[in-house]
């Protein structure tokens, strides 16, 4: 069924993002919609046909017809989704529709390729869904990385500009010791860069294993029945229907040997030959079998006349033994070559490292952005007022409100991400060679993680690029405790003169008086112990209790973070230059 049959289905029933404003309208949302997943599944099917043509399992002309027909605009995503309920995944109805479309196109073009019989040949539904998931991810992750880069650049600007801007450091919600806003921004920068590095390092491979991860269905034709193919079924299966009703071919050169009449007792085939020396190999005329999967060296199989070039022939080894000539292994490599995805060592139907790694990296990125948002939410409170978003959001009831909406949406995404990632990590416990449930449970959480993290990264870039900083308010808040947040500094300065015990007693008494009477710490010290105050001196005491002078190594730490950021940027630029000449094509069609 095509989209023309139900043109408004998606509009009436689709998820428009009404309850997810954080990702609504974002590039990540567009890259992860149902239409994008449908396109990715069709891209996976077309790439599989081209890969099979590359290793001699499919005629090139058939692969070309499949590729040219695999356009997402030809298929009704809603209809595929509804029919997916019958088999539990969307590949089954999509393959039926693609097969019918290919058959129709092949007929229109003259019907010379019989291309429909090669659609989805040898693959299982999980091969296509997993590969499509990785394709969607590889198309979405660069969008997230770009926004993380934008956010990082803006944070580097903030850290540089406010390298020495003093503000109150807060621990367990209370003023602790002074810090600088530049150091806070450098901390945000470091976390965002860590998130970017982890996400960029995730390896996204193709999936191809066949029914149970053995690639057994991808043979070169040794098991083929010698019969004329009939029309390809387009009802419920993409497998070709063969016409086996005619008489068997009686023109074979040599009739098959009759089965031996085995007697009871030990099998003489496995009894040692008393005249054969231990360890002797096969005779010169005996077939040599490669038990890792290759056919006997004296195989008499001849490919049919209409088979694609290379069909039925063993490939030359590349020094890797049987793996170099194994058709399934060569197909796995060819499949990866057809897509912007990595080649896996093994099929990963129940080895869910790629999905778990991706989910964990996305959740980490959401959390790193959530840290920025959490701090902005605190610092933008009315009673603190040290930062503000460039354009605050309004209220339906209170005209004066300018809510920190970007930070709110980022914080919401960060709180959802761990739960979604936990589903993906739980799917690592998958039974057998292909699981029932764990794999299916991954689809929506992974998509939602891509969307939420993509939306959060976009919002974060906008947030920090327009963040308004108020140093005067930071300085005023530093004075709220009238010097109490530098009591540590005063204590450290007195220890050499009067010893730790005495210094702690004096500063502790002065701090209690300052809190109780609401007076500056310097004044409280003078009233508590005039001798100590005189020992220090008025000017020195005023300097020791000035919060702006006690930011420690904050400026130097900012410089370290900025240097690391600059080095990472240079490394990324160099890597991009190295990849540029022969990077993978996004869409081979």
């Amino acid at each position: 069924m095509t989209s023309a049959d139900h043109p408004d289905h998606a509009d009436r029933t689709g998820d428009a993002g009404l309850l997810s404003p954080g990702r609504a309208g974002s590039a990540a949302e567009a890259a992860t919609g149902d239409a994008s997943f449908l396109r990715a599944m069709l891209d996976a099917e077309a790439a599989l046909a081209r890969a099979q043509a590359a290793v001699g399992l499919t005629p090139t002309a058939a692969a070309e017809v499949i590729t040219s027909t695999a356009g997402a605009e030809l298929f009704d995503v809603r209809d595929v989704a509804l029919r997916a309920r019958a088999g539990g995944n969307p590949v089954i109805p999509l393959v039926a529709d693609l097969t019918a479309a290919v058959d129709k196109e092949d007929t229109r073009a003259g019907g010379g390729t019989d291309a429909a019989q090669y659609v989805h040949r040898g693959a299982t539904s999980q091969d296509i869904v997993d590969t499509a998931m990785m394709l969607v991810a590889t198309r979405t992750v660069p969008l997230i990385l770009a926004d993380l880069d934008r956010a990082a650049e803006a944070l580097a600007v903030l850290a540089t500009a406010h390298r020495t801007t003093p503000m109150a450091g807060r621990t367990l919600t209370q003023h602790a010791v002074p810090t600088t806003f530049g150091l806070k921004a450098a901390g945000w920068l470091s976390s965002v860069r860590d998130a970017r590095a982890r996400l960029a390092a995730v390896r996204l491979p193709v999936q191809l294993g066949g029914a149970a991860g053995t690639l057994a269905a991808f043979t070169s034709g040794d098991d083929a029945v010698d019969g004329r193919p009939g029309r390809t079924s387009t009802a419920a299966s993409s497998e070709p229907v063969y016409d086996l009703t005619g008489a068997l071919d009686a023109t074979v050169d040599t009739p098959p040997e009759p089965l031996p009449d085995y007697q009871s007792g030990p099998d003489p085939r496995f009894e040692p030959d008393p005249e054969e020396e231990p360890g002797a190999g096969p005779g010169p005329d005996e077939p040599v079998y490669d038990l890792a999967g290759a056919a006997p060296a004296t195989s008499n199989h001849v490919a049919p006349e209409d088979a694609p070039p290379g069909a039925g022939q063993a490939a030359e080894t590349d020094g890797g033994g049987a793996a170099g000539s194994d058709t399934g292994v060569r197909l796995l490599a060819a499949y990866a070559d057809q897509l912007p995805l990595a080649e896996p060592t093994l099929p990963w139907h129940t080895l869910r490292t790629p999905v778990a790694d991706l989910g964990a990296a996305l959740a980490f990125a959401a959390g790193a952005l959530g840290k920025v948002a959490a701090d902005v939410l605190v610092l933008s409170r009315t009673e603190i007022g040290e930062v503000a978003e460039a354009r605050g959001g309004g209220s339906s009831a209170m005209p004066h409100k300018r809510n920190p909406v970007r930070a709110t949406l980022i914080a919401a995404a960060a709180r959802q991400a761990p739960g979604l990632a936990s589903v993906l990590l739980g799917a690592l416990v998958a039974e057998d060679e292909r699981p029932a449930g764990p794999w299916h449970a991954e689809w929506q959480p992974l998509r939602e993680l891509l969307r939420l993290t993509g939306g959060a990264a976009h919002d974060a870039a906008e947030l920090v690029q327009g963040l308004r900083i108020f140093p005067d308010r930071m300085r005023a808040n530093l004075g709220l405790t009238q010097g109490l947040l530098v009591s540590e500094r005063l204590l450290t300065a007195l220890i050499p003169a009067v010893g730790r015990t005495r210094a702690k007693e004096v500063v502790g008494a002065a701090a209690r008086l300052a809190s109780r009477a609401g007076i500056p710490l310097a004044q409280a010290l003078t009233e508590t112990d005039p001798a100590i105050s005189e020992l220090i001196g008025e000017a020195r005491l005023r300097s020791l209790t000035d919060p702006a002078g006690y930011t420690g190594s904050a400026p130097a730490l900012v410089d370290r973070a900025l240097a690391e950021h600059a080095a990472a940027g240079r490394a990324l630029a160099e890597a991009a230059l190295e990849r540029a000449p022969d990077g993978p094509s996004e869409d081979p069609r």
Side-chain angles (χ1 to χ4, degrees), residues 259-275:
L259 293 174
D261 184 14
Y262 292 117
Q263 304 296 323
S264 61
D267 191 333
R269 294 175 299 167
F270 301 107
E271 289 296 306
D273 187 340
E275 298 182 1

Side-chain angles (χ1 to χ4, degrees), residues 438-506:
W439 165 57
H440 305 73
E442 294 172 341
W443 307 341
Q444 192 64 16
L446 180 58
R447 171 160 74 171
E448 198 63 19
L449 265 176
L450 286 165
R451 288 176 160 183
L452 286 172
T453 307
H458 180 74
D459 282 336
E462 289 190 352
L463 170 65
V464 296
Q465 284 175 337
L467 194 64
R468 299 161 61 199
I469 314 301
F470 304 110
D472 290 345
R473 191 59 183 261
M474 293 177 180
R475 190 68 172 84
N477 288 338
L478 275 173
L480 288 176
T481 59
Q482 302 193 79
L484 283 176
L485 78 172
V486 292
S487 61
E488 177 191 65
R489 184 186 192 189
L490 186 57
L491 172 65
T492 303
L494 283 175
I495 288 175
V498 300
R500 175 175 293 275
T501 301
R502 176 63 177 150
K504 193 170 185 179
E505 291 174 353
V506 171

